[in-house]
Amino acid sequence: MKEPYKLAILIIIMSFSHLTTQAQFITFNHDGIDRQYLYYEPVTLNANMPLVFAMHGYTGDANSMRNNTQMNQIADQYGFAICYPRGTLDSQGNRFWNVGYAFHQTETVEDVDFLIELAQYLQVTHNLNSDYTFATGFSNGGEMCYLLACQAYNTFKAVAPVAGMIMQDILNQCDQSQPIPLFEIHGSQDSVTPLSGDPTNNDGWGSYPSIATTINYFAVKNGCTSNTTQTLPDIDTTDGSFVMSEKYLGGTNNNEVWYYEVVGGGHEWPGDSGNMDIDAGEEAWLFFQHHINNTLSLPNFENLEEAIHIFPNPTKNIITIQNPGEIRLKEINIYNTLGVNLNLKESHGQMDLTNLNQGIYLLSIKTLKGTIIKKVVKN
């Protein structure tokens, strides 16, 4: 009787071991497609209820991203919820994020919209803070972070790509987007996405600028006014690499842009392989936490009504919404006196009321410090 008993115990142990490495995917229908993701929430959430997305690389998967980065353990330590979304399969059967690779020109999946809708769904169903949703990712997942920075900045408030790059086509369309904090970790010997970039598409991914050009672009975009550099401690002297830190500070709304160059590092996620001086997942979270702290430290205007100005008012057509640089506007809507949203869009601090009838309207302005209502007269 002892041998069957031992066999049963062994089967149970093996089954449990399998469960610890293979998590259950959750289905989320988007645009008629059943998409999938993994979600993890620690027992104790940070008081600010943050949410972090962690995206796998090309040919990777959400489960391997979870296992390799060990970000569930980091979430336990710091108290944030984490989502590992799953890319779709391309024509070659590889999972990917649609950032516009040269060989993906026929792919039509809308990954930006999928991630926005999934983030909003998780925020509501798990009571998470919509002001503190962030994204990190490796390689193709890191490139998706850049796309989110340019096209989903109202949902994702900071990004931390690892071994990623920004496609030139995406960069060309990024100028009008709202700046958000960005943190890139990149190996100096990365042979997949080299520091020098690939402006002429020699490698077949598509054209993309150098990492130095990319970091400078986002530092300027965020209005950073100073920078610091330092060499981080070489904790593991056997890994053949060390980390140089560049931080661009003093940007709009206290935004910052960070860059860690892993000198001697390759196309890797530090802490999992290659460099062992840092853990990329933990560094990404510390960057997000720093952004939360910077946001909370913004001046707390006691009277938003007086701080934000609307002019001309009354108006015949265009109104301008003027706010101090320290107050970040999140959402602006205009309603009639019956409470119907008229769905007019604000652009660069202005709203066109030309097509509205004469009368009184209510302008709702949502900021990180609260929401105010302004009366607007159209004549």
Side-chain angles (χ1 to χ4, degrees):
M1 295 296 293
K2 292 183 179 180
E3 291 306 315
Y5 179 79
K6 289 181 179 179
L7 179 60
I9 294 295
L10 179 60
I11 291 173
I12 292 172
I13 292 172
M14 290 176 66
S15 298
F16 181 77
S17 175
H18 176 73
L19 289 172
T20 61
T21 57
Q22 297 292 328
Q24 182 66 46
F25 282 105
I26 304 169
T27 298
F28 181 83
N29 187 275
H30 172 263
D31 202 22
I33 304 172
D34 282 341
R35 304 295 300 265
Q36 294 178 311
Y37 67 95
L38 303 174
Y39 177 79
Y40 179 76
E41 185 176 299
V43 175
T44 303
L45 264 179
N46 182 302
N48 293 303
M49 298 179 295
L51 170 63
V52 175
F53 277 58
M55 293 172 287
H56 61 78
Y58 183 54
T59 76
D61 207 342
N63 199 65
S64 59
M65 185 70 182
R66 178 184 69 96
N67 291 339
N68 294 341
T69 64
Q70 298 290 298
M71 287 197 70
N72 281 12
Q73 289 86 333
I74 300 171
D76 283 332
Q77 181 179 355
Y78 293 100
F80 59 89
I82 184 158
C83 173
Y84 306 89
R86 198 180 200 188
T88 54
L89 297 174
D90 65 11
S91 59
Q92 302 175 54
N94 294 316
R95 293 206 177 275
F96 78 110
W97 299 105
N98 196 6
V99 298
Y101 288 156
F103 55 90
H104 278 161
Q105 295 306 304
T106 60
E107 301 290 350
T108 59
V109 63
E110 293 286 349
D111 279 327
V112 171
D113 193 57
F114 159 61
L115 293 171
I116 290 173
E117 289 194 14
L118 178 57
Q120 293 171 344
Y121 170 77
L122 293 174
Q123 290 162 2
V124 172
T125 56
H126 295 277
N127 193 31
L128 302 171
N129 193 332
S130 61
D131 290 330
Y132 300 128
T133 296
F134 311 105
T136 186
F138 173 67
S139 193
N140 183 212
E143 286 136 26
M144 193 67 209
C145 288
Y146 280 111
L147 185 55
L148 294 177
C150 293
Q151 297 185 12
Y153 45 84
N154 286 325
T155 300
F156 294 90
K157 304 309 172 66
V159 297
V162 178
M165 48 78 168
I166 184 168
M167 305 299 294
Q168 187 64 51
D169 288 344
I170 297 172
L171 186 63
N172 292 342
Q173 301 175 27
C174 199
D175 287 352
Q176 301 306 315
S177 67
Q178 179 176 299
I180 65 171
L182 182 140
F183 175 28
E184 169 77 26
I185 301 175
H186 212 105
S188 66
Q189 304 305 308
D190 190 328
S191 59
V192 178
T193 51
L195 290 185
S196 57
D198 187 10
T200 57
N201 188 24
N202 290 327
D203 295 337
W205 299 104
S207 174
Y208 60 94
S210 70
I211 300 303
T213 298
T214 301
I215 296 301
N216 182 70
Y217 173 86
F218 281 97
V220 172
K221 183 179 182 64
N222 278 277
C224 297
T225 57
S226 63
N227 70 293
T228 64
T229 61
Q230 68 174 125
T231 302
L232 301 186
D234 189 8
I235 298 171
D236 188 336
T237 58
T238 68
D239 62 16
S241 60
F242 63 94
V243 180
M244 292 289 297
S245 164
E246 294 181 21
K247 295 183 178 180
Y248 297 83
L249 315 174
T252 304
N253 294 322
N254 288 343
N255 286 3
E256 297 182 2
V257 173
W258 295 5
Y259 171 45
Y260 282 7
E261 179 179 336
V262 183
V263 180
H267 193 71
E268 298 152 334
W269 182 277
D272 172 53
S273 61
N275 182 271
M276 293 296 165
D277 300 323
I278 62 172
D279 183 318
E282 183 175 31
E283 295 297 328
W285 166 251
L286 293 175
F287 175 70
F288 299 147
Q289 180 64 62
H290 186 71
H291 168 70
I292 293 174
N293 294 340
N294 276 350
T295 302
L296 294 174
S297 69
L298 289 173
N300 186 15
F301 290 91
E302 294 184 0
N303 195 334
L304 285 173
E305 287 276 357
E306 295 179 0
I308 299 177
H309 301 283
I310 308 298
F311 62 90
N313 191 13
T315 183
K316 291 183 180 296
N317 42 50
I318 304 294
I319 58 169
T320 297
I321 302 101
Q322 184 180 66
N323 65 296
E326 298 88 347
I327 298 180
R328 180 172 172 179
L329 303 185
K330 292 183 57 185
E331 185 177 341
I332 300 176
N333 292 296
I334 192 163
Y335 300 83
N336 63 21
T337 53
L338 297 177
V340 177
N341 189 338
L342 302 177
N343 296 316
L344 295 183
K345 300 297 183 183
E346 172 269 341
S347 178
H348 305 296
Q350 294 186 324
M351 184 176 285
D352 189 350
L353 310 187
T354 302
N355 294 327
L356 296 185
N357 295 326
Q358 293 182 358
I360 296 175
Y361 297 90
L362 302 175
L363 192 69
S364 171
I365 305 172
K366 185 178 180 181
T367 78
L368 291 179
K369 298 300 181 181
T371 300
I372 65 169
I373 305 295
K374 292 271 192 177
K375 183 172 74 174
V376 177
V377 179
K378 169 72 188 300
N379 57 19

